[in-house]
């Protein structure tokens, strides 16, 4: 397999690490995308130590210069902030991010050449390409891919820049997918897309993206490293501290609900399911713990207040808890010590790291029958599947998993085995096949031109 380019730009949601200049920890918006970034970074650098990596990360208020960052895996990268707050375009009169304006700018007006938001993103990512000296970019999710295509059309980057997009989400992205479809013409376009699940692949195809430009690669991770983290969390008593800090009864089992607190993740369905279980008397010895404090979307700043109000109105305040912020170690402790993990998104997506980590830690999982989860979870064997948006069905599944110990144990064992096969190496093999195919295509075009 040919080596990767010696300089690579990764456009990520965010990245963990410690600034080498100051020794201070970089603030990070923890999410499954961040975990994916680190699985990708650690694996690529391990396999290709000669590749110099720059990471462009989003969320900044202002653009800034690159700085050296030491990530937890011991890899040194250059990190460069991309300003994505855009209050002048996205905020309403109360200076809060407006969902309607955000949708119009990012999605509805993606094709408009005078879209100032997209122009800014194109200019920033073009600058990142030049700072990195990269000939190949790996872009996490749809927005940096669109921005880089726009940058190429604006003449801000070289016409032969290779872009590989890792597409994890197909929710409310139809116009952006369509924008790419009109520009992606197989290998000649310089753009390849890697779908995180079959459902994302189908969404790209239905938008007109040619099949020749798409690969499908399921998420994977370094299982040994994560299990070591869980063992370290147990030895440190991290879960006990989480219980004490959040007022969880130490005598009660915990039903963990991981993930960002944003609409569409099924939190309302979990709360309604808890209401059903309380009426049945099935939560006397268990509680529901919802993680994700601080992991919010600025388009819905009141979502956490909405969940707290729904918990009060459902009469389950003694049974459903919105946990405070958790460190990476504490999150691993929750996976390793909970009785059950529930992830109930209403919309399809890839197989998220919350489910992979839960299964690796030996927690039985319940999730909705769609997206990447449906492609990996075999109902009744390595997890339980329920219809999305159906709280009674979710309550029934939770009750079954809590009361049927034989099933509970079987799901835990089979889930751990399934997650153990979703390796970092398998994911990287798929990514490298697409990345090195792009390198070979570019080299081939160069040789053809020389003749």
């Amino acid at each position: 397999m040919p080596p990767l380019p010696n300089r690579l730009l990764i456009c990520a949601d965010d990245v963990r690490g410690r600034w080498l200049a100051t020794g201070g920890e970089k603030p990070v918006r923890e999410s499954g995308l961040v975990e994916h970034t680190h699985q990708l970074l650690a694996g690529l650098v391990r396999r290709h130590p000669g590749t110099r990596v720059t990471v462009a990360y989003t969320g900044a208020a202002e653009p800034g210069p690159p700085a050296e960052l030491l990530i937890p895996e011991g890899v040194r990268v250059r990190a460069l902030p991309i300003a994505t707050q855009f209050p002048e375009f996205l905020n309403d009169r109360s200076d809060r991010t407006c969902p309607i304006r955000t949708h119009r700018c990012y999605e509805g007006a993606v094709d408009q050449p005078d879209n100032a938001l997209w122009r800014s993103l194109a200019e920033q990512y073009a600058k990142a390409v030049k700072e990195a000296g990269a000939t190949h970019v790996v872009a996490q999710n749809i927005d940096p891919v669109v921005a880089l295509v726009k940058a190429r059309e604006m003449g801000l980057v070289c016409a032969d820049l290779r872009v590989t997009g890792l597409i994890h989400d197909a929710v409310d992205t139809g116009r952006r997918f369509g924008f790419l479809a009109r520009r992606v013409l197989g290998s000649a376009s310089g753009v390849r897309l890697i779908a995180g699940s079959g459902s994302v692949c189908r969404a790209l195809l239905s938008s007109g993206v040619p099949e020749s430009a798409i690969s499908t690669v399921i998420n994977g991770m370094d299982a040994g490293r994560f299990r070591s983290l869980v063992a370290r969390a147990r030895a440190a008593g991290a879960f006990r501290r989480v219980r004490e800090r959040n007022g969880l009864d130490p005598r009660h089992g915990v039903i963990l609900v991981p993930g960002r607190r944003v609409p569409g993740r099924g939190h309302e369905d979990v709360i309604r399911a808890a209401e059903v279980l309380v009426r049945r008397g099935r939560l006397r010895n268990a509680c529901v713990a919802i993680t994700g404090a601080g992991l919010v979307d600025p388009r819905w700043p009141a979502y956490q207040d909405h969940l707290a109000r729904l918990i009060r109105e459902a009469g389950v305040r003694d049974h459903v808890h919105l946990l405070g912020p958790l460190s990476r170690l504490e999150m691993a402790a929750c996976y390793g010590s909970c009785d059950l993990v529930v992830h109930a998104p209403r919309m399809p997506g890839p197989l998220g790291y919350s489910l992979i980590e839960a299964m690796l830690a030996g927690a039985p999982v319940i999730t909705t029958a769609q997206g990447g989860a449906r492609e990996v979870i075999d109902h009744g064997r390595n997890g339980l599947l329920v219809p999305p948006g159906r709280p009674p069905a979710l309550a029934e599944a939770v009750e079954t998993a809590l009361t049927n110990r034989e099933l509970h144990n079987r799901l835990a064992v089979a889930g751990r085995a399934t997650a153990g096969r979703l390796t970092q190496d398998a994911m990287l093999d798929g990514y490298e096949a697409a990345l090195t195919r792009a390198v070979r295509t570019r080299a081939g075009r160069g040789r053809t031109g020389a003749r």
Side-chain angles (χ1 to χ4, degrees):
M1 181 173 285
L4 292 182
N6 58 9
R7 292 180 181 271
L8 183 69
L9 174 65
I10 295 179
C11 301
D13 188 58
D14 208 345
V15 62
R16 309 177 189 121
R18 176 169 54 84
W19 298 115
L20 290 178
T22 65
E25 289 293 321
K26 176 192 168 299
V28 60
R29 308 182 318 278
E30 287 287 357
S31 67
L33 287 176
V34 173
E35 182 59 36
H36 176 266
T37 295
H38 283 268
Q39 295 296 327
L40 175 65
L41 276 171
L44 286 181
V45 174
R46 171 172 54 83
R47 291 186 174 194
H48 304 276
T51 297
R52 175 71 162 147
V53 177
T54 299
V55 179
Y57 63 93
T58 66
E62 298 289 340
E68 294 289 322
L69 186 74
L70 183 66
I71 67 173
E73 293 80 5
V75 177
R76 179 183 293 192
V77 302
R78 297 173 78 218
L80 186 151
I82 301 293
T84 54
Q85 295 184 15
F86 297 122
E88 68 273 31
F89 305 133
L90 307 180
N91 285 16
D92 57 22
R93 292 180 179 178
S94 63
D95 204 30
R96 285 188 166 189
T97 305
C98 173
I100 296 174
R101 290 187 179 185
T102 301
H103 178 272
R104 184 170 62 243
C105 286
Y106 275 100
E107 177 72 1
V110 65
D111 279 304
Q112 294 181 5
D114 60 346
N115 187 319
L117 181 148
W118 279 113
R119 172 171 284 276
S120 174
L121 287 175
E123 291 171 347
Q124 289 186 74
Y125 280 114
K127 183 179 179 181
V129 170
K130 293 176 182 177
E131 290 277 6
T135 58
H136 200 132
V137 180
V138 177
Q140 189 183 59
N141 250 339
I142 187 66
D143 288 344
V145 182
V146 171
L148 286 162
V149 170
K150 284 179 174 287
R152 195 164 60 184
E153 292 180 345
M154 294 161 60
L156 301 177
V157 296
C158 294
D160 61 350
L161 178 72
R162 310 299 302 182
V163 179
T164 300
L166 312 180
I167 310 300
H168 298 275
D169 188 8
V171 177
D172 201 20
T173 54
R175 286 183 178 270
R176 280 168 284 180
F177 282 2
F179 172 88
L180 288 181
R182 290 186 289 277
R183 290 156 176 83
V184 175
L185 301 174
S187 59
S189 73
V191 177
R192 286 202 61 83
L193 302 177
I194 300 178
S197 69
S199 62
V200 172
C201 178
R202 289 188 291 274
L204 288 166
L205 290 171
S206 67
S207 295
V209 177
E211 187 175 3
S212 60
I214 308 172
S215 304
T216 300
V217 180
I218 301 297
N219 285 340
M221 69 182 304
D222 184 339
R225 186 178 181 88
F226 179 72
R227 286 171 177 152
S228 295
L229 182 65
V230 172
R232 193 162 75 247
R234 283 180 176 144
F239 191 61
R240 174 179 51 79
R241 294 197 299 272
V242 171
R243 279 188 179 274
E244 291 172 352
R245 199 167 64 238
N246 290 278
L248 306 185
D249 192 323
R251 299 167 298 177
H252 289 175
V254 173
I255 302 164
L256 190 70
V257 183
R260 298 177 67 196
R261 292 179 189 169
V262 295
R265 295 299 180 96
H267 297 107
E268 296 98 331
D269 299 327
V270 171
I271 294 167
R272 293 302 183 196
E275 184 180 13
V276 173
L277 291 168
V278 168
R279 286 202 306 266
R280 295 178 181 174
R282 293 302 189 181
L283 285 185
R284 292 193 183 97
N285 300 310
C287 67
V288 175
I290 300 176
T291 72
L295 304 180
V296 298
D297 190 316
R299 291 174 293 177
W300 294 281
Y303 186 68
Q304 295 194 94
D305 294 337
H306 162 68
L307 294 181
R309 184 172 62 254
L310 189 59
I311 290 169
R312 291 194 303 270
E313 292 172 353
V316 293
R317 291 179 64 181
D318 294 334
H319 305 276
V320 180
H321 305 267
L322 296 174
L323 300 188
L326 300 175
S327 68
R328 175 73 176 141
L329 186 74
E330 290 172 335
M331 194 66 224
C334 289
Y335 284 126
S337 300
C338 69
D339 293 79
L340 189 66
V341 166
V342 174
H343 180 60
R346 292 180 176 178
M347 302 297 289
L351 181 71
Y353 280 99
S354 57
L355 290 179
I356 298 174
E357 291 177 344
M359 291 190 290
L360 280 175
V365 299
I366 299 174
T367 188
T368 45
Q370 57 184 350
R374 188 173 186 176
E375 297 161 20
V376 173
I377 300 298
D378 182 6
H379 179 69
R381 188 184 66 82
N382 57 359
L384 296 180
L385 297 173
V386 297
R390 293 280 302 279
L394 181 58
E396 190 70 30
V398 170
E399 181 175 351
T400 298
L402 290 178
T403 57
N404 187 334
R405 298 310 299 179
E406 188 276 332
L407 173 65
H408 183 280
N409 294 337
R410 188 172 74 244
L411 296 177
V413 171
R416 186 184 290 114
T418 297
R421 293 190 291 271
L422 300 170
T423 65
Q424 182 189 78
D425 281 333
M427 179 181 73
L428 289 171
D429 287 345
Y431 287 171
E432 284 185 335
L435 288 168
T436 54
R437 184 183 304 126
V439 172
R440 287 194 298 268
T441 302
R442 182 172 180 265
R445 288 210 316 274
R447 287 193 297 271
T448 301
R451 289 197 298 270

